Amino acid sequence: RDSQLAETECLSTWKKWRRTSSKSLKKALSEVKGLSSYLVLWQRDIHSIEGKFGTGIQSYFSFLRFLVLLNFIIFILMFSFVTLPIIISPYGTFNSTVAYISPKNIEENCTIYEPTGNKGLVYFYTYLKDLFSGTGFLEVTSLFYGYYTIDAVWISIMRYNLPLAYLLATFAYLALSFLWIMKRSAEGFMQNLVHDADPFQSYCNKVFAGWDFCITDPNAAQLKHRSLQYELQMDLQEEKLKQKIAERTVREKLRIYSLRIFINMIVIAILSGCFYSIYRVTVFSQENSNVSIRNDTRTDSANLLVQYLPSMVITLANFIAPLTFSFLIRFEDYTPVFEIKLTLMRCVFVRLANIGVLLFSLWSQISDCGSDKCKPCGYNYKLYPCWESDVGQEMYKLMIFDFIVILAVPLFVDFPRRLLVTHCSCKLIQWFGQQEFQISDNILEIIYGQTICWIGTFFSPLLPAIATIKYFIIFYVKKIILIHTCKPAARPIRASGSNFFFLAVLLIGLILAFFPLGVSIAHIPSSKACGPFRNFNTAWEVIPGTILEFPAVVQQILFGMASEAFAVPFFMI
């Protein structure tokens, strides 16, 4: 400091002023940065959770905050470029008008679409049923694809190409999600890479750097002690197991491999049963709900039950299959770490594959061309005049039912269990004990919901708004459950490793979403009775149609970029 003061005295007035200004600016920026931390969503809540329960559980709530922000940005994107131009056009804002182009060379039967909107006197429970199923008054709102039956919007003298905007907005939210996940996962990947580089480093980390200094709660500290003890025991068990594996005889190896093959056959049988049940229930639900809507042969409650059958069966499969996998894995004689990872990957597969089977079932019905049902339009136009809205309704019902289950479990399971454990001294109840906060199960729950959102946004542009509200409420529900009814899991996982694993599973969900969206955009003929793509054979035809309007040189460049010679190396790199 004395040296700096001596140097300052030798400086000119201008340089002194610059140095003083620089210091003042740095101090001001530091204070602004400190104040801005208070504006970060749930900053105090997450710090409080981190202090009481450690970084492992904090990583779940940080992940939930990331999904809230991601869905909010996706909603802003879809609303700004797709929904807003249609909302403002009827009011003539900015001299805007709507342009409709009648479909050409298409049979009249293909263009008939009469949504089941409520007309006349309607009972309150009918509105309630429509709210849960996405039919009736909701079907004709901006929530679903069928509402966007517009070819262009003229804003003053500028033509706004809505079909192109709709498709580009879809590509933009998928690209945004992909890049954001990759950015967040890079740090966790590097930490995992460093951690796995040297097996001995695992012991060093636990002994010299294993304590979590964010913990302030005595109970959480005691749990952390047990956690470190458990991790060291697991490491020793793994070493013993590796030694045991090395010393196995040929006969023991044959027995274990035979048992693993048998158990994997059971797992495949369970998965096949889940997939077949979902397929049959979806076909039954689609056929019977459509028939009942046309003929009005069922009560509203019975029809709602039929419409929700696929969601119920998927939720049941998501509940039963993981419990069965956790039981079967005990007999496969894997290392504890690999046991956890394999169980989680099986659970991830069953949850995400169930969505894929549901979509496959819907597509099989939409493309059911027996008795020339599809001949005029290329799809089953009698049952699905606007099939994109039907797919959007299924995604909407999945999201709503998933939300109901997430809210119902704490209310009817977790809170009663806590009351029984606290106030009842029965040995059986005390043996069950207090509910543990299972990070991996809760993460898989919200990743499943996010995958539904990614797939459904193309068919229901405002679905990200529902997802944002859903995750916002879930944050507070899970926080209340954690503080008042749960205890941290006795076998926690590292925050760095868990963050990377969560993002890796989320990336799998995003990649899964690419396939159904790609098939819907490029393969299945678009509805001729509704939506912005009714004048195109498929939604993808908007892109080459737009490129053909460009100058010849630009066309050659863009078609060259779209060729396999350029595209394949580009995506590989």
Side-chain angles (χ1 to χ4, degrees):
R1 183 175 291 177
D2 291 339
S3 174
Q4 285 182 355
L5 286 171
E7 286 178 8
T8 307
E9 289 175 1
C10 301
L11 294 173
S12 63
T13 308
W14 168 248
K15 287 184 179 180
K16 284 180 183 178
W17 180 83
R18 280 183 60 188
R19 180 171 287 190
T20 307
S21 301
S22 176
K23 285 182 178 179
S24 300
L25 183 62
K26 284 179 181 177
K27 188 177 179 181
L29 289 172
S30 178
E31 287 178 357
V32 168
K33 191 177 180 181
L35 290 170
S36 66
S37 66
Y38 291 100
L39 302 176
V40 177
L41 184 65
W42 298 322
Q43 185 81 349
R44 287 187 177 182
D45 293 318
I46 289 174
H47 274 283
S48 174
I49 290 165
E50 185 180 20
K52 289 181 180 178
F53 300 97
T55 54
I57 289 176
Q58 175 264 341
S59 65
Y60 165 78
F61 287 93
S62 297
F63 187 73
L64 199 55
R65 177 175 62 186
F66 163 65
L67 290 183
V68 169
L69 296 174
L70 177 65
N71 282 297
F72 181 70
I73 291 171
I74 292 173
F75 161 67
I76 294 295
L77 183 71
M78 295 300 291
F79 182 80
S80 301
F81 292 99
V82 177
T83 309
L84 189 61
I86 296 179
I87 291 174
I88 64 172
S89 56
Y91 302 101
T93 310
F94 306 115
N95 295 324
S96 57
T97 55
V98 177
Y100 297 94
I101 302 170
S102 300
K104 297 175 182 178
N105 303 321
I106 296 171
E107 289 196 20
E108 190 177 347
N109 291 335
C110 300
T111 60
I112 298 170
Y113 173 50
E114 297 176 354
T116 57
N118 300 317
K119 296 175 183 178
L121 184 64
V122 180
Y123 292 107
F124 174 74
Y125 67 79
T126 306
Y127 282 111
L128 202 61
K129 183 210 69 157
D130 293 341
L131 190 66
F132 281 103
S133 63
T135 55
F137 78 95
L138 266 184
E139 190 174 353
V140 294
T141 62
S142 56
L143 181 61
F144 292 111
Y145 174 92
Y147 174 81
Y148 302 89
T149 311
I150 291 174
D151 296 287
V153 177
W154 284 94
I155 301 173
S156 189
I157 58 170
M158 185 182 73
R159 182 178 181 272
Y160 187 76
N161 190 338
L162 187 71
L164 181 64
Y166 198 107
L167 195 61
L168 292 180
T170 302
F171 294 154
Y173 83 74
L174 291 172
L176 171 71
S177 302
F178 179 77
L179 293 173
W180 202 347
I181 292 168
M182 292 299 290
K183 181 181 179 296
R184 284 180 66 93
S185 62
E187 186 180 346
F189 175 73
M190 287 187 288
Q191 287 177 359
N192 272 12
L193 204 65
V194 170
H195 183 269
D196 296 335
D198 183 8
F200 186 69
Q201 190 183 22
S202 175
Y203 296 103
C204 295
N205 285 345
K206 289 179 182 66
V207 174
F208 296 108
W211 187 250
D212 187 349
F213 287 93
C214 294
I215 294 173
T216 56
D217 186 68
N219 293 327
Q222 190 178 3
L223 185 74
K224 184 65 178 177
H225 279 291
R226 290 202 302 268
S227 168
L228 287 170
Q229 181 184 356
Y230 166 77
E231 286 184 16
L232 288 168
Q233 286 175 344
M234 287 297 101
D235 287 338
L236 292 170
Q237 282 182 19
E238 280 187 32
E239 291 300 324
K240 284 183 180 179
L241 198 56
K242 286 175 183 176
Q243 189 177 357
K244 184 183 173 183
I245 290 166
E247 294 172 356
R248 277 177 187 163
T249 61
V250 176
R251 187 175 179 180
E252 286 177 338
K253 287 180 181 178
L254 283 172
R255 182 186 65 80
I256 290 167
Y257 292 145
S258 301
L259 185 62
R260 287 177 183 175
I261 290 167
F262 177 70
I263 289 172
N264 278 289
M265 287 173 68
I266 295 172
V267 169
I268 292 167
I270 292 167
L271 292 173
S272 302
C274 291
F275 298 159
Y276 182 73
S277 301
I278 293 164
Y279 175 77
R280 292 307 310 166
V281 164
T282 305
V283 172
F284 173 81
S285 173
Q286 291 294 307
E287 288 177 349
N288 286 273
S289 60
N290 282 326
V291 168
S292 64
I293 287 169
R294 290 199 308 271
N295 300 331
D296 198 20
T297 55
R298 282 196 185 91
T299 62
D300 286 335
S301 56
N303 189 34
L304 184 64
L305 182 64
V306 170
Q307 289 182 32
Y308 262 91
L309 271 177
S311 302
M312 290 176 180
V313 172
I314 287 173
T315 304
L316 193 64
N318 290 343
F319 177 73
I320 293 172
L323 290 177
T324 312
F325 297 155
S326 299
F327 174 74
L328 291 173
I329 196 77
R330 299 173 189 173
F331 303 101
E332 295 186 74
D333 203 13
Y334 289 117
T335 60
V337 173
F338 186 75
E339 190 177 299
I340 292 167
K341 287 181 179 179
L342 182 61
T343 306
L344 286 174
M345 288 312 297
R346 283 173 176 172
C347 295
V348 168
F349 180 76
V350 75
R351 279 180 177 271
L352 300 184
N354 284 343
I355 302 171
V357 173
L358 172 69
L359 291 168
F360 173 78
S361 308
L362 288 170
W363 288 334
S364 67
Q365 290 292 102
I366 293 163
S367 305
D368 182 15
C369 296
S371 306
D372 293 332
K373 293 178 187 175
C374 309
K375 194 173 181 181
C377 315
Y379 58 93
N380 191 343
Y381 67 95
K382 291 182 179 177
L383 281 179
Y384 302 97
C386 185
W387 65 264
E388 291 92 344
S389 286
D390 289 308
V391 175
Q393 285 168 357
E394 287 299 324
M395 296 295 105
Y396 173 80
K397 284 184 282 189
L398 274 178
M399 181 165 284
I400 295 296
F401 192 73
D402 181 55
F403 186 42
I404 291 169
V405 169
I406 290 171
L407 295 180
V409 168
L411 192 61
F412 298 108
V413 178
D414 294 339
F415 281 108
R417 179 174 175 175
R418 172 60 191 264
L419 290 172
L420 286 170
V421 170
T422 307
H423 300 290
C424 183
S425 58
C426 176
K427 287 184 179 180
L428 182 64
I429 291 170
Q430 292 300 321
W431 180 76
F432 274 104
Q434 197 175 340
Q435 173 75 18
E436 287 188 351
F437 192 86
Q438 297 290 348
I439 301 173
S440 55
D441 291 347
N442 282 287
I443 282 288
L444 293 179
E445 198 174 66
I446 59 174
I447 288 173
Y448 165 76
Q450 186 57 40
T451 306
I452 292 169
C453 180
W454 277 323
I455 295 170
T457 301
F458 178 75
F459 309 103
S460 176
L462 298 186
L463 205 61
I466 298 171
T468 304
I469 296 166
K470 172 186 167 183
Y471 290 136
F472 191 86
I473 295 169
I474 286 173
F475 181 92
Y476 289 103
V477 170
K478 294 295 182 183
K479 182 187 170 187
I480 291 166
I481 292 167
L482 175 67
I483 294 169
H484 297 289
T485 71
C486 290
K487 61 181 180 181
R491 299 181 179 185
I493 49 180
R494 295 191 318 274
S496 59
S498 60
N499 279 330
F500 176 68
F501 179 75
F502 300 157
L503 290 164
V505 175
L506 188 64
L507 190 62
I508 293 169
L510 179 60
I511 292 167
L512 175 73
F514 287 162
F515 290 101
L517 287 174
V519 171
S520 301
I521 290 169
H523 180 66
I524 301 178
S526 54
S527 296
K528 303 300 181 286
C530 70
F533 306 108
R534 61 202 177 103
N535 286 306
F536 301 92
N537 187 39
T538 61
W540 177 254
E541 285 189 1
V542 175
I543 300 294
T546 305
I547 291 173
L548 290 172
E549 296 175 4
F550 294 158
V553 177
V554 179
Q555 286 183 36
Q556 288 177 356
I557 294 168
L558 291 173
F559 281 124
M561 290 173 66
S563 66
E564 291 180 4
F566 176 85
V568 173
F570 174 76
F571 282 110
M572 286 182 71
I573 291 166

